[in-house]
Each structure stands twice: as C-alpha cells, then as structure tokens.
Amino acid sequence: MLRLFETFSESAPQLTLMMTRILQRGEVEPLKILTSAAAISSSIALYHRSMRIYLPEKCKMSWISTVIYFLWNLLLIIPRVTALALFCSVLPSYIIAHFLSLWMLLVLAAWSQKTNYMEHSGWEWLYRAAIGLIWYFSWLNVSTGSIKLKSIFYYSFMALDTMLLLGFWWWKVFEYAGCWSSLNPHIVIPTLLGLYAIGILVKMIYYRWLHPNSDKEKITEPTEKGKFRRAATCDTDSVSSLEDIAAAPVQPLTGVLKRSSTMAANFYF
C-alpha cells in the first residue's frame, strides 16, 4: 500500500512534470514516457496481485490476468497523464488550482464511501487524502456496494475532465503555433481519447472473462480463514509442526493484517 501511495504521490507527478518540460521544448520522447507510465501500471498490477494472499487459494490470479490488468491500466494512465501535461504546458499557473479543486472533491467522495481502513479517525482522513490523490490519476476501489456503478461514474467523470483539459490545450495551442509543429491537435486528441476508450474496453474484457471474481466463489467467514491468520500471526519458534499451527487458536486481525484484509475484500468484485 505504501508503495502504491509512493507511485501516485511521486512517480505520477514526476511523469507529468517530465512530459510538460518535453512538450514545452517542442519535443516528443515516446519511449521515455512509455517506460515511466509502464512503471506506474506495474505498481498497480503488482499491488493487485499481492492482495491475493488475503483471499482463498482457489482465487489465485494468473500471469495472463496480471498482464491484461497491467495493459488496461497503462492504456488509461497514458491519456490521463498526457492530458494533464498538455494542459500544464500551456496554462502552468492553473494546474495547481485544477489539482486542488479536483483533489478536494475526490477526498469528499472517499469520505462519502465511509471507509474503515485505519484504526483512528485522524489517520483515516490521511488515508482518504491519499485515495483522493490516487483517484486524480487512476481508479482504486476502497469500499463495498455498487462497485460497478461507482466505477462507471468515476470513469465518466474523469473522461469529461480529461476532455476539458484537452479542450483548453487545443484553445491555447494556436497561440504557440510556431512551437507545436510536431503536435497536431486533430491527431493528438482523437488518439488520446481512443486509447482511453480502448482501455475501458480492455478493462471490461478483463472483468468479464479474466478476473478471478471472488463473488463467484464461496468465501467463508473468518473462522475458515484461520490458516491465513495463523500463518501471519503465530510464532513459528513456538510450534513444531504444521499440525500445531493448524491447531493454534485463531487470532483477531489487527493493524496491518486488518488493513490488508479490508483492502482485499473491497478491491475485488
């Protein structure tokens, strides 16, 4: 989780800044941009895969599913970060206002989900602030309920925001026509929106056929998840065999284990 927060609080803003500087110089370096975006998508995919330890063994995620999961995140992150960089390259003084206004709205949206991730209310607000930062770039499910409906609303809202950013860039780009000979808005904007649409399509394919949907499996209550709790909480020096571990009393989930189990339960649908 901390690595995921680091990805969106450090790597994603750095990628946006790097792309902004490249665009302001009138250059295009697709390999460098693609590599940085792939690193962000890899962090999301690995986080998604790591959550499997808190779900039943039969719900394992295959490497094919991991690759497809990485692909649709990459297809969605590239248009989002590129739109932010294009907007920042022509209206740099307004990107902070855009971020703060949208981030506060997303934090309120996280608050409305009634998250219960941290053990204290103050830390819970810090968690919601981090979720708002992640949502500024990419989707992450943090609560149960109408997950598909929330996902549709999020992607629709972010698509409108992305088109707004691209619209402002299109409007301002003509004032700097001499510096933008390599970027044609009639090509850039349809390409980015096309990648976004393809990313949504690949995500639908993933959740339709490749996602190990835990709802289709009968996941029992904490008494049958004891082996995961025991394996994570018992002292291996105090037991002599696997039978002793299996016979050990189930310990209640607290701290990191509680937070990880909560994220695993909310992240998959």
Side-chain angles (χ1 to χ4, degrees):
M1 173 58 72
L2 292 177
R3 186 173 298 175
L4 192 68
F5 288 163
E6 181 184 6
T7 297
F8 286 99
S9 63
E10 182 177 339
S11 300
Q14 285 179 354
L15 175 58
T16 304
L17 178 60
M18 179 187 72
M19 292 181 63
T20 300
R21 298 297 297 172
I22 290 173
L23 291 170
Q24 287 177 340
R25 293 198 303 265
E27 302 173 356
V28 178
E29 300 181 17
L31 181 59
K32 183 184 296 186
I33 295 171
L34 184 61
T35 302
S36 300
I40 297 174
S41 301
S42 298
S43 297
I44 303 174
L46 291 176
Y47 170 78
H48 181 97
R49 188 176 177 85
S50 70
M51 287 290 99
R52 309 310 299 179
I53 192 174
Y54 296 97
L55 294 177
E57 190 72 18
K58 57 186 176 181
C59 293
K60 244 181 199 181
M61 185 177 181
S62 68
W63 281 107
I64 295 178
S65 298
T66 304
V67 171
I68 300 301
Y69 190 90
F70 161 83
L71 179 61
W72 69 255
N73 274 283
L74 180 64
L75 290 171
L76 292 175
I77 287 174
I78 287 178
R80 177 62 182 171
V81 175
T82 303
L84 289 169
L86 289 171
F87 176 81
C88 186
S89 65
V90 294
L91 294 169
S93 59
Y94 289 92
I95 189 64
I96 297 178
H98 175 268
F99 167 75
L100 290 177
S101 58
L102 187 56
W103 173 72
M104 288 188 291
L105 181 62
L106 293 173
V107 171
L108 291 177
W111 167 75
S112 69
Q113 300 300 308
K114 303 185 185 301
T115 60
N116 185 27
Y117 184 72
M118 306 299 288
E119 296 178 356
H120 302 286
S121 59
W123 290 109
E124 189 69 30
W125 275 105
L126 179 61
Y127 168 71
R128 291 165 181 166
I131 292 300
L133 177 60
I134 293 176
W135 281 351
Y136 186 75
F137 296 98
S138 179
W139 167 250
L140 177 69
N141 187 51
V142 295
S143 64
T144 57
S146 303
I147 298 174
K148 292 182 180 180
L149 183 61
K150 289 185 289 187
S151 180
I152 291 172
F153 178 80
Y154 170 83
Y155 283 115
S156 300
F157 178 80
M158 297 308 290
L160 290 175
D161 182 70
T162 300
M163 287 189 289
L164 183 65
L165 293 173
L166 293 174
F168 277 112
W169 171 72
W170 194 348
W171 171 50
K172 294 293 293 184
V173 75
F174 295 104
E175 297 183 13
Y176 307 96
C179 302
W180 298 92
S181 58
S182 59
L183 289 177
N184 187 342
H186 297 88
I187 297 176
V188 173
I189 293 179
T191 300
L192 293 178
L193 296 180
L195 289 176
Y196 196 87
I198 293 173
I200 296 293
L201 179 61
V202 174
K203 180 178 181 178
M204 293 171 61
I205 294 173
Y206 169 83
Y207 278 106
R208 178 64 179 84
W209 286 292
L210 298 173
H211 181 61
N213 194 334
S214 58
D215 291 339
K216 294 179 181 178
E217 308 286 353
K218 185 177 179 180
I219 300 178
T220 53
E221 286 305 308
T223 55
E224 296 212 1
K225 286 200 267 185
K227 60 179 181 179
F228 296 103
R229 298 184 183 184
R230 297 186 192 108
T233 58
C234 70
D235 183 1
T236 55
D237 293 334
S238 64
V239 295
S240 58
S241 66
L242 295 176
E243 288 76 11
D244 293 332
I245 295 177
V250 177
Q251 300 296 326
L253 289 177
T254 58
V256 175
L257 291 176
K258 172 182 175 293
R259 291 192 288 273
S260 299
S261 297
T262 300
M263 285 302 301
N266 292 336
F267 196 78
Y268 296 96
F269 61 93

